[in-house]
Amino acid sequence: MNIQVQCCGIVVLALIWYFSLRQKPLGLASEKLFLLTMGVNSFCIIMDILSIIAINNMEHISGFLLALICKTYIVSLIWSGYFGLIYSRSDFRYARTKQVKGNILYTIILLIGTLIIYILPIYYYLEGNVVYTHGPSCIATYIFALLFVLVTLYQVGIKGKEMNPKRRRAIIMWMCIWIIAAVTQFLNANLLLVGFASVLGMIILFFELENPEANLDRETGAYNAHALGEYTKQRYEKQERFSAILVALNDRAIIESDGSSQQADKMLWTIVRQTDKIKDVKVFKTMERELVFLMDDEEYMWDVFQNLKEYTDNLCGENQTEQLKNPPYFVVLPDSLMLRNVEELFLMLRNFRVGKRKNSAENSIILDENKISQYKEKEEMEALIRSAIEGDRIEVFYQPIYSTKQHRFVSAEALVRIRDLDGNIIPPGRFIPVAEKNGLISRIGERVFEKTCAFIQENRLREQYGIEYVEVNLSVRQCEDPKLAETYINIMERYKLEPSCINLEITESASIRAKDILLENMRVLMDYGVKFSLDDFGNGESNLNYIVDMPVSIVKFDRDMSQSYFASQKARFVMEAAMHMIHDMKLEIVSEGIETEEQAQAIETLGIEYIQGYYFSKPLPGGEFLELVAGKSVHATT
Ligand code: C2E
Ligand code: MG
Ligand code: MG
């Protein structure tokens, strides 16, 4: 009997079953499908052996039983092909309805195939050692099995780029082995290879993809980063809620120094071992040497969180052999569906972990809708700023500044705007705080400065419009940059700009944070011929000492300070006192935020030199600003 190959197949399948079932399953869809496919293939090879035995003993059994056994064997072949197809489709990123529709269609084809094979006649060949079946039923089997194999190959071919490349390779190999076996058996019917080809396919799938060991992290015994990605991706695709706790070591020495990764792994191993007793929790280790605990139930998650804290606090105790110097950081996500997909999940866990590292006072952070939406807004704004810088959508508006002595506009402030892709203008209040944090403000600042220089030069603002200088804001970040003066001087030289056309605005916070660098920058720029203003005077903790220290020529009263004059008698005294002191230092004043004629008149009467505010004009795009200053549409205030 030609049965040895099949017996080998059974032994191999038994081994694969043993290794597959030895590990606790992670719960991936592909894992379940693989076991089903294994089941069908095992059945297939058993039926293969039974059919050979039945044909060899055909004179002892009824024709019906013989046909039933042989047909069940060949039917199981097309079932095996069908599962091959369904298994490979589980990796395609189809919309769920498309996936289901496709699977229903293939199931219908499978059932029709099964029916046809059972109905059509089958013939047997037995001579010496050579045993096989043939006839219409077998031809139908070839057709249906080939159909499934070809559809699988076609789909892997067109959808292949979306697939896990390992899975793609494994499935292509499996299908090719099948085709070779089928063609060989078709040409030489006594070589019964098809059943064994399925076993070879199983070997490939097992070693390439479905070996549960491949999902484990060797050092800690937890599931590995790959498994975390696959598992959470699947749960997001099915829209299933889960809760997550990220545990990150807080001992810099362990995490950062070379060769200490072993020590970090040992610490993580200790935590995993300690938490082995916690039921219904899946523990993963990430590439960054953190642990992620996943569980279904939010209520339960709080218990796990408490437990984890206790375990790790114990590890920090003095008398432990395995010691943590500091308790780890925790990021707790009570409900995964607060985030849209697995990419966001990782981004969030990682981001908040990093965020916490800087501030070591609090070692756990619990994510909620609010924190997440704030973070997303910040991310979106950051993307918007970057695209605006790259797409040249940083614009400069100009707000005229009126001289109470000359009764005309003598200068202007350059104020940055971003235009989004829909053409809407975004005011600086929304993006400057984000840009200050991530450092993009320096690039924005330079762009604004360059555009302002070009604007002054191209329109000959001083000669044609009587605008003596333009004030440009400097961010705190820029003031901390030792190369600021050099960069700005280079830009002015490029535009051949008279330096006295520029007045740079600094703020008190810049002078507090980077006084020495700022003073050096100011010295170089002032030697070159640029003047400085102190912006935002009057906001919060304004301190006259800063004015004494800073070599500025103008002080700008912010809107609150300007308007305090009209608020109360007391505020008015403070404002007048500040004004007198500033004038005593031979500095000039710009009053910002003046909105009415009455305010403008009062400020002028008080003796403040310049007025900036909506009363005269809001900040305007370059063209409109030129029209305004050319059109003499200046409101007389006297
Ligand atoms: P700032 O430098 O104090 O600019 C004055 C702000 O007051 C401008 O707001 C201006 O539109 C507004 N303003 C002027 N007159 C009135 C008024 O009568 N009423 C009211 N309610 N507001 C008035 P904007 O353009 O939104 O700028 C806000 C802040 O953004 C600026 O305050 C400045 O700190 C910052 N900023 C603007 N452009 C730049 C820039 O190019 N670089 C840097 N680093 N910061 C900038
Ligand atoms: Mg300003
Ligand atoms: Mg200001």
Side-chain angles (χ1 to χ4, degrees):
M1 265 195 302
N2 189 0
I3 204 173
Q4 293 88 337
V5 183
Q6 281 73 4
C7 289
C8 284
I10 289 222
V11 174
V12 174
L13 282 181
L15 281 174
I16 300 179
W17 275 115
Y18 169 72
F19 286 116
S20 301
L21 298 178
R22 205 174 49 157
Q23 289 293 338
K24 225 172 44 188
L26 177 58
L28 296 175
S30 73
E31 216 171 50
K32 287 181 205 145
L33 264 175
F34 174 71
L35 291 182
L36 255 171
T37 314
M38 275 279 290
V40 172
N41 279 300
S42 306
F43 180 71
C44 178
I45 202 128
I46 290 169
M47 288 315 295
D48 194 3
I49 294 174
L50 279 182
S51 64
I52 296 171
I53 296 173
I55 299 174
N56 270 294
N57 297 288
M58 60 182 158
E59 57 278 15
H60 307 300
I61 55 173
S62 72
F64 175 75
L65 186 61
L66 179 63
L68 186 69
I69 293 175
C70 291
K71 284 183 178 176
T72 305
Y73 162 57
I74 54 179
V75 160
S76 72
L77 283 176
I78 69 163
W79 279 71
S80 167
Y82 164 82
F83 273 101
L85 173 60
I86 301 292
Y87 175 83
S88 45
R89 280 169 64 80
S90 71
D91 220 36
F92 298 162
R93 267 175 234 147
Y94 285 135
R96 210 153 164 67
T97 47
K98 199 172 170 200
Q99 181 101 355
V100 172
K101 270 190 196 158
N103 288 356
I104 291 177
L105 173 72
Y106 297 124
T107 311
I108 293 173
I109 296 177
L110 173 75
L111 295 177
I112 294 175
T114 306
L115 202 67
I116 292 178
I117 294 168
Y118 274 120
I119 291 172
L120 290 176
I122 188 164
Y123 307 119
Y124 317 98
Y125 182 88
L126 170 67
E127 205 175 295
N129 252 352
V130 183
V131 177
Y132 58 87
T133 50
H134 58 106
S137 182
C138 294
I139 298 207
T141 308
Y142 275 115
I143 292 172
F144 280 99
L146 205 65
L147 179 76
F148 285 129
V149 171
L150 291 181
V151 173
T152 308
L153 280 176
Y154 171 72
Q155 296 211 340
V156 171
I158 52 170
K159 282 263 172 191
K161 277 181 231 102
E162 292 177 12
M163 284 179 87
N164 167 348
K166 255 175 116 184
R167 194 180 301 277
R168 182 173 180 222
R169 223 177 19 238
I171 289 172
I172 292 178
M173 263 162 84
W174 176 24
M175 294 298 137
C176 288
I177 288 178
W178 239 1
I179 292 179
I180 294 169
V183 170
T184 315
Q185 188 164 336
F186 188 74
L187 297 176
N188 190 348
N190 61 352
L191 283 176
L192 303 182
L193 289 177
V194 171
F196 191 70
S198 308
V199 176
L200 290 183
M202 291 298 98
I203 296 178
I204 293 168
L205 288 198
F206 178 78
F207 283 109
E208 274 280 69
L209 305 165
E210 301 295 347
N211 177 1
E213 298 279 339
N215 285 333
L216 294 182
D217 174 62
R218 278 168 199 273
E219 280 75 26
T220 57
Y223 292 115
N224 58 20
H226 166 76
L228 175 63
E230 292 273 307
Y231 180 73
T232 46
K233 186 172 125 216
Q234 173 181 315
R235 298 206 65 161
Y236 269 106
E237 277 167 6
K238 290 188 180 168
Q239 296 268 302
E240 286 174 355
R241 279 168 205 281
F242 60 90
S243 300
I245 301 173
L246 177 108
V247 181
L249 295 183
N250 178 10
D251 289 306
R252 279 180 180 271
I254 291 186
I255 305 155
E256 282 169 8
S257 75
D258 275 349
S260 63
S261 57
Q262 263 179 329
Q263 208 189 333
D265 280 334
K266 209 163 145 200
M267 285 323 313
L268 296 178
W269 179 85
T270 315
I271 299 175
V272 172
R273 282 287 79 76
Q274 289 240 33
T275 51
D276 260 355
K277 291 151 244 152
I278 309 181
K279 292 235 162 28
D280 299 325
V281 172
K282 292 193 162 60
V283 189
F284 299 83
K285 193 184 101 176
T286 72
M287 302 276 211
E288 309 274 314
R289 298 209 150 72
E290 307 135 331
L291 294 178
V292 177
F293 291 74
L294 298 186
M295 49 247 114
D296 295 346
D297 183 22
E298 187 186 326
E299 288 286 308
Y300 182 50
M301 184 211 65
W302 296 113
D303 292 346
V304 175
F305 180 42
Q306 273 314 319
N307 270 331
L308 279 174
K309 283 194 115 174
E310 276 165 30
Y311 286 145
T312 47
D313 281 350
N314 276 342
L315 281 178
C316 294
E318 289 279 306
N319 301 324
Q320 302 285 333
T321 38
E322 307 282 0
Q323 263 187 38
L324 274 178
K325 284 197 210 74
N326 306 302
Y329 293 111
F330 292 93
V331 183
V332 180
L333 175 74
D335 177 3
S336 59
L337 294 192
M338 288 196 281
L339 305 170
R340 270 178 309 216
N341 51 35
V342 58
E343 283 78 21
E344 263 187 23
L345 171 79
F346 289 138
L347 194 74
M348 230 37 90
L349 292 178
R350 185 77 15 99
N351 169 69
F352 282 99
R353 183 212 65 174
V354 172
K356 276 291 115 180
R357 229 173 229 186
K358 287 184 199 139
N359 168 14
S360 56
E362 177 61 65
N363 75 333
S364 45
I365 181 159
I366 294 161
L367 300 187
D368 52 29
E369 297 276 4
N370 205 3
K371 285 201 186 74
I372 291 173
S373 64
Q374 270 176 11
Y375 176 76
K376 280 192 196 164
E377 265 168 37
K378 196 191 95 201
E379 286 281 288
E380 276 162 21
M381 189 47 81
E382 201 170 310
L384 194 101
I385 298 172
R386 282 185 201 283
S387 91
I389 294 177
E390 270 144 37
D392 196 21
R393 280 180 281 106
I394 303 278
E395 295 189 8
V396 185
F397 279 30
Y398 300 89
Q399 186 177 30
I401 297 175
Y402 178 80
S403 159
T404 54
K405 303 278 177 289
Q406 301 182 40
H407 301 292
R408 65 179 187 91
F409 294 132
V410 289
S411 61
E413 177 169 5
L415 293 155
V416 67
R417 302 288 183 262
I418 279 183
R419 197 175 286 278
D420 70 12
L421 286 172
D422 300 330
N424 303 317
I425 289 288
I426 301 167
R430 286 188 47 210
F431 62 86
I432 296 255
V434 178
E436 280 273 2
K437 272 209 179 116
N438 64 21
L440 286 174
I441 189 67
S442 301
R443 288 176 68 190
I444 298 179
E446 267 174 42
R447 196 61 71 84
V448 169
F449 187 65
E450 192 163 352
K451 290 203 164 187
T452 307
C453 290
F455 183 71
I456 299 173
Q457 186 61 348
E458 278 161 20
N459 299 294
R460 307 189 39 228
L461 279 196
R462 185 178 277 173
E463 298 79 6
Q464 292 204 20
Y465 297 89
I467 299 297
E468 299 296 325
Y469 58 89
V470 177
E471 306 199 338
V472 186
N473 292 281
L474 279 181
S475 74
V476 179
R477 281 270 195 152
Q478 288 178 287
C479 297
E480 289 170 346
D481 175 7
K483 288 216 157 2
L484 172 82
E486 191 189 324
T487 315
Y488 272 40
I489 290 173
N490 281 342
I491 295 175
M492 286 184 278
E493 302 220 308
R494 200 172 329 134
Y495 289 94
K496 302 195 172 49
L497 199 72
E498 169 61 35
S500 62
C501 289
I502 294 290
N503 181 305
L504 294 173
E505 294 188 2
I506 56 163
T507 56
E508 286 177 6
S509 28
S511 67
I512 298 167
R513 259 185 40 189
K515 192 164 182 184
D516 291 345
I517 301 176
L518 172 63
L519 280 175
E520 181 55 18
N521 275 325
M522 287 175 81
R523 191 191 61 75
V524 177
L525 282 160
M526 283 164 64
D527 284 352
Y528 187 69
V530 172
K531 288 201 166 128
F532 282 84
S533 300
L534 185 78
D535 201 0
D536 293 346
F537 185 84
N539 89 336
E541 64 276 15
S542 294
N543 190 331
L544 281 168
N545 289 339
Y546 290 116
I547 306 180
V548 179
D549 281 357
M550 287 292 138
V552 292
S553 8
I554 293 176
V555 175
K556 297 188 80 171
F557 281 5
D558 79 347
R559 187 158 172 261
D560 287 351
M561 184 69 158
S562 298
Q563 301 214 338
S564 66
Y565 182 78
F566 312 99
S568 70
Q569 188 68 25
K570 215 166 147 189
R572 185 185 187 146
F573 284 144
V574 175
M575 196 252 207
E576 280 180 354
M579 183 191 81
H580 288 308
M581 274 196 271
I582 292 165
H583 279 161
D584 287 348
M585 286 184 251
K586 304 278 174 280
L587 307 180
E588 293 180 309
I589 299 175
V590 177
S591 220
E592 284 186 315
I594 300 302
E595 293 181 351
T596 63
E597 182 175 3
E598 181 207 357
Q599 291 169 357
Q601 267 173 0
I603 292 292
E604 184 172 342
T605 315
L606 197 64
I608 285 180
E609 291 80 2
Y610 305 106
I611 301 176
Q612 178 181 351
Y614 290 175
Y615 170 61
F616 291 107
S617 167
K618 288 195 170 181
L620 298 171
E624 288 176 40
F625 169 78
L626 293 180
E627 276 172 31
L628 176 82
V629 288
K632 310 277 175 238
S633 54
V634 175
H635 303 252
T637 56
T638 45

